[in-house]
Amino acid sequence: MNSKQFETAKMCLKVVTPINIADGIVLGAKDYLYDSRRQKVYFLNLHQWHMFIYKHMLLEKYESYLANFRDKQSLLEWLRMQGYDIDDVRTVITSEALATVNLMDSERKKTLNDINRHIQQPDGSLYVPGSSIKGVFRTAILYSLLQKRQDIKVKYWRQIQEKISSNYFKPYRDFNKLISDLENELLHTLRLLDGNIRSNNAVCSAMRGLQVSDTYASRNMQTAILQKVDGGFDKFGKASPKKLPIFRECMLPEAELFFDVKIEKAVMNTIAINSVDDLLKATHSFFAAVTDLLQQAFGKEYQEAFQGVAAGNMFLGGNTGFLSKTLLAMLAPDKDTAKNTIKVLLDKSFKTHKHLLRDKIIAPRTLKCTNYNGKLMLMGVAEVRKV
């Protein structure tokens, strides 16, 4: 392999603020053991749990519990009523997580809401998929390219406004099609054997020149069950954070994971990426642009949430907000135009959220946060660097 044609690097991903990458598994209150006294959630190997139920002749009582479950009695309470406790079922517990916050701050409540688990390897260790990291890199590269192509920004912004103002606008179909066309125009830079570039052919995408591995398995990583908090404003313009009954298993600040990146220079230089350093520079630029936009709107009233965020260079995972995942605001000629267009788009997409009426300072109008260690934090901030 010619080292001049490729650059490989070992990378470190450091968690700056809590990160959740959902695996699609949502556990109800009867699917895990929640100990409010120890402030922990214990996750179960369902096969071994059912074997425990069968071995101790609890099947009939367990079926009755499931059939009559009304979110009033936790699975752990039921287990204790049968004469058993956490120590009796250690062999069926696969992992545990901190749970220092109870639903709606009621310390006496014995159940949490549904829990969105973090993605895991088959052996139960947590990881971050390479596809998730590459998706962040992709958006950052697009942002970097747009800074040099004012003509494309104007072209697509005009199309977006035309589509949104149409009576026949279908948010998911039309908006996604426009963004797909934008990506194809900027990223599909490779020529086929016949000398042509076909924008609708993925073979022509320069992103083929970037390989990102999954993070290496991280055993015994401490996680916590954290509650979603929407940072907004009251009618007087003061901070009014709202806790929502949505819980996520999150990787915690200071955790570090490692992954590998490989760049094929002859391919990636067609989109102005000649090195891993170029990739990190683009990533930080997009992160800084999004953070600056959020700070201008929320920074005065939500200073605490932004503490330490400058140490990061990417938003990653769930509950990081619309602006961190889309280039829409970056296509607009100015912030006010961006806000007015985005709130129309969101209002047509989510009619019950009243975006036209309530998105006054910024659209969307909420800062995506959580509480951890007694502090309000933005969700999903990470630092990626070469090792």
Side-chain angles (χ1 to χ4, degrees), residues 1 6-11 130-131 133-135 137 141 206-214 259-265 267-268 276 279:
M1 182 182 296
F6 298 90
E7 180 182 355
T8 60
K10 181 177 180 180
M11 311 292 287
S131 57
I133 303 171
K134 186 173 180 178
F137 286 150
I141 292 170
M207 293 302 294
R208 294 174 57 206
L210 175 62
Q211 297 179 32
V212 182
S213 76
D214 295 344
F259 65 99
D260 299 316
V261 163
K262 180 179 178 181
I263 287 179
E264 187 175 355
K265 297 179 182 180
V267 175
M268 294 296 288
V276 174
L279 184 64

Side-chain angles (χ1 to χ4, degrees), residues 2-4 14 37 96 102 105 127 160 187 192 208 216 221 230 241 244 264 279 288 308 321 334 373 376:
N2 189 336
S3 61
K4 293 183 179 180
K14 182 177 181 179
R37 291 180 299 185
E96 58 187 62
N102 290 353
D105 290 335
Y127 78 108
I160 286 169
L187 298 178
L192 300 175
R208 294 174 57 206
Y216 311 145
M221 179 183 288
D230 275 357
L244 301 176
E264 187 175 355
L279 184 64
D334 56 73
N373 272 357
L376 188 70

Side-chain angles (χ1 to χ4, degrees), residues 336-353:
D336 285 340
T337 305
K339 176 190 69 178
N340 292 332
T341 301
I342 291 172
K343 70 181 184 180
V344 171
L345 169 65
L346 294 175
D347 189 73
K348 290 190 174 186
S349 302
F350 310 100
K351 297 185 182 299
T352 60
H353 294 184

Side-chain angles (χ1 to χ4, degrees), residues 67-123:
N68 297 289
F69 181 79
R70 293 291 183 274
D71 200 28
K72 294 180 180 179
Q73 183 187 48
S74 72
L75 185 58
L76 181 57
E77 283 183 305
W78 175 85
L79 183 65
R80 285 172 173 160
M81 286 180 64
Q82 315 313 313
Y84 302 95
D85 210 330
I86 293 294
D87 291 337
D88 299 305
V89 293
R90 287 286 178 186
T91 58
V92 311
I93 294 172
T94 58
S95 60
E96 58 187 62
L98 299 173
T100 57
V101 57
N102 290 353
L103 179 61
M104 309 311 288
D105 290 335
S106 172
E107 294 187 359
R108 288 176 295 182
K109 187 171 178 61
K110 302 302 182 184
T111 61
L112 294 174
N113 266 44
D114 293 351
I115 294 175
N116 295 272
R117 294 215 63 186
H118 191 285
I119 193 168
Q120 306 169 42
Q121 298 281 14
D123 66 358

Side-chain angles (χ1 to χ4, degrees), residues 11 48 178 272 279 314 334 355:
M11 311 292 287
Q48 293 180 9
L178 282 170
L279 184 64
M314 69 164 56
D334 56 73
H355 286 280

Side-chain angles (χ1 to χ4, degrees), residues 288-299:
V290 174
T291 304
D292 182 63
L293 194 61
L294 294 173
Q295 282 188 306
Q296 289 182 43
F298 298 100

